[in-house]
Amino acid sequence: EDQVTQSPEALRLQEGESSSLNCSYTVSGLRGLFWYRQDPGKGPEFLFTLYSAGEEKEKERLKATLTKKESFLHITAPKPEDSATYLCAVLASGGSYIPTFGRGTSLIVHP
Amino acid sequence: DSGVTQTPKHLITATGQRVTLRCSPRSGDLSVYWYQQSLDQGLQFLIQYYNGEERAKGNILERFSAQQFPDLHSELNLSSLELGDSALYFCASSGQGVVKNIQYFGAGTRLSVL
């Protein structure tokens, strides 16, 4: 069974304090790994997709990296507007095209 | 704006009632997915349709059903509602080609069962 574990569950940072969110996964074969941002009461917003170990993607203060067992979402010099829940999802090769979502990391950035 | 439209934004109803949630996918997307999100369960996959046909089923209750119409919009029907059905319901769509596996989510429908 595919499994996705995100840590920490919650993270509080001061503005400008860089940190990383972790997504560990267990799948028979990885077709893709996805990061989403979700604001309270809103739908998940697509951020990145990564397909193979060693791949990196960047967008503003966010950088996603991928290894064979985990992905990191690095947040550099975060701002209060980066506060949200960040969801990780993995899509396994073979079978259905339904991703398995983690429970998310709730990030709060204090000014 | 993801391009996925969900209506209504909010629904308040009573136990035992039936409601219909509607979703219009992004232009050109053939796949529609329905998810339920509650505080203690995270994002739970319910069902997927592809070009009008059911493609995959998740933890969808027998009281729930869905369909996708020829114009590709989809409806999720929830019947005999219980208090525990109160949650956010999201629709997502995905396209074809290189980015076919990326799901784009709507803003959701918040269902409150009283």
Side-chain angles (χ1 to χ4, degrees), chain A residues 31 34 36 38 40-46 49 51 87 91 96-99 101-103, chain B residues 33 35 37 39-43 45 48 56 90 98 100-107 110:
Chain A
R31 178 174 280 146
F34 309 92
Y36 288 85
Q38 186 175 24
K42 298 190 177 181
E45 174 190 349
F46 171 73
T49 182
Y51 294 105
L87 299 170
L91 187 64
S96 73
Y97 283 79
I98 307 303
F101 279 83
R103 296 293 299 270
Chain B
Y33 311 78
Y35 289 86
Q37 187 178 46
L39 283 175
D40 58 344
Q41 290 292 327
L43 202 59
F45 168 69
Q48 178 205 4
F90 291 107
V98 176
K100 66 179 179 180
N101 297 321
I102 299 173
Q103 294 185 357
Y104 292 89
F105 285 78
R110 180 177 294 279

